Amino acid sequence: MAFKTIIVALSNSQSDLEPVIQALTEFNLTLETKVILSHVVAMEKSDLEVDKPQLDSEKISLGEFEKQLKYYQEELPCQTEIEIVIGDPTEEIVRLSNFYGADLIMIGSRGLKGINRILQGSVSSQVIAEANCSVFVVKQR
């Protein structure tokens, strides 16, 4: 099965990025396939007035992350676009999938369990519940 439009929701954490990109390359990507490499800079609604988003120190800087996305964009054998947006991750991923008419959303899973999952929430679970298309969740190994 070939997908026409795939939204690839990426975290700027190296341990999340590689497994999702690897899984993407295992799909049947053709010249007709359009892949949207997306990243949401998570912001709480009260923080939207801030000029620059604050990034977790364990994560790749946004500039370095954009360079990696451009590298993947050049390596993929299909049409690609990069979307970096600010907002609630679940809302923005679902919005992008609706905007582009995506057949599939690919997203990583941090594998949170128990109290951490309750406290931090699961973006992948929320996307599965709210998306209007299929969602492929890539678990960390």
Side-chain angles (χ1 to χ4, degrees):
M1 175 180 198
F3 294 101
K4 292 179 185 171
T5 306
I6 303 171
I7 300 292
V8 183
L10 297 165
S11 160
N12 64 332
S13 169
Q14 192 67 41
S15 61
D16 294 342
L17 183 62
E18 293 297 329
V20 175
I21 294 295
Q22 180 59 43
L24 175 64
T25 62
E26 294 174 14
F27 278 86
N28 181 24
L29 301 175
T30 67
L31 293 174
E32 290 78 37
T33 307
K34 185 174 196 171
V35 171
I36 312 303
L37 300 171
S38 66
H39 174 65
V40 179
V41 178
M43 298 286 286
E44 293 186 27
K45 294 186 189 322
S46 62
D47 292 339
L48 288 178
E49 298 170 2
V50 176
D51 290 343
K52 280 195 153 188
Q54 301 297 314
L55 298 174
D56 187 334
S57 62
E58 296 176 5
K59 296 186 176 185
I60 306 166
S61 73
L62 199 51
E64 196 62 36
F65 182 67
E66 284 182 271
K67 287 180 189 174
Q68 278 194 296
L69 291 183
K70 288 178 182 173
Y71 168 78
Y72 293 130
Q73 186 178 30
E74 292 170 6
E75 295 297 311
L76 291 170
C78 57
Q79 304 171 55
T80 59
E81 287 186 35
I82 294 174
E83 284 276 0
I84 297 178
V85 296
I86 298 172
D88 175 75
T90 301
E91 289 176 16
E92 293 303 320
I93 292 166
V94 171
R95 184 188 64 77
L96 285 171
S97 72
N98 292 333
F99 178 80
Y100 284 101
D103 306 295
L104 180 71
I105 298 171
M106 288 188 71
I107 189 169
S109 171
R110 294 180 291 173
L112 296 177
K113 302 232 186 287
I115 195 74
N116 286 335
R117 185 179 178 119
I118 293 168
L119 293 175
Q120 296 179 25
S122 169
V123 173
S124 57
S125 294
Q126 290 175 310
V127 169
I128 290 168
E130 296 181 24
N132 293 318
C133 62
S134 295
V135 180
F136 185 87
V137 179
V138 180
K139 290 192 170 213
Q140 287 185 0
R141 294 183 182 159

